Amino acid sequence: QVQLVESGGGLVQPGGSLRLSCEVSGSIFSTTMGWYRQAPGKQRDLVASIRSEADTYYADSVKGRFTISRDDAKNTVYLQMNSLKPEDTAVYYCNRRYGSTWKWGQGTQVTVSS
């Protein structure tokens, strides 16, 4: 059974950085991997996605600050988050899309606060 496990969340000061990792029990080869986030009372929104190193997407709110990457050999996707803002506070979820199949991780909390 494919499972996704996020890690790297925590408390960070505004302007700080975090790197989130998503380890997938199954292969991520030929998948689209994405990071989503959900703040209390808000919908779950796409932050960034990646099909290949040359094919990435970023939400306008994080463009220029976040970088998504993948290591297919390690079945892992990363989200490097720089210049963090309080508005980035949310639970961050890893997503695996393969065809019409969507899989989600359990989420990791990111809190940006002084």
Side-chain angles (χ1 to χ4, degrees):
Q1 191 170 359
V2 175
Q3 291 188 324
L4 291 71
V5 180
E6 301 96 333
S7 62
L11 176 64
V12 65
Q13 307 96 320
S17 298
L18 285 174
R19 189 178 80 155
L20 306 183
S21 297
C22 173
E23 186 176 353
V24 182
S25 62
S27 175
I28 65 170
F29 184 75
S30 296
T31 69
T32 298
M33 301 298 300
W35 285 97
Y36 292 69
R37 67 186 181 188
Q38 186 169 25
K42 304 292 185 179
Q43 69 179 40
R44 187 174 299 185
D45 292 328
L46 176 63
V47 175
S49 65
I50 182 169
R51 290 179 60 195
S52 68
E53 295 302 325
D55 189 359
T56 58
Y57 166 86
Y58 297 94
D60 288 342
S61 58
V62 307
K63 198 171 298 181
R65 299 188 296 121
F66 291 11
T67 303
I68 189 170
S69 61
R70 63 190 293 159
D71 186 338
D72 287 16
K74 295 182 177 180
N75 295 326
T76 303
V77 63
Y78 306 94
L79 185 68
Q80 178 67 47
M81 305 185 294
N82 298 325
S83 302
L84 283 161
K85 305 174 180 180
E87 307 93 278
D88 297 318
T89 296
V91 177
Y92 284 70
Y93 296 91
C94 184
N95 171 262
R96 174 186 182 268
R97 285 177 285 161
Y98 183 74
S100 61
T101 301
W102 291 58
K103 296 289 185 181
W104 295 93
Q106 81 289 343
T108 185
Q109 177 71 48
V110 172
T111 302
V112 185
S113 177
S114 59

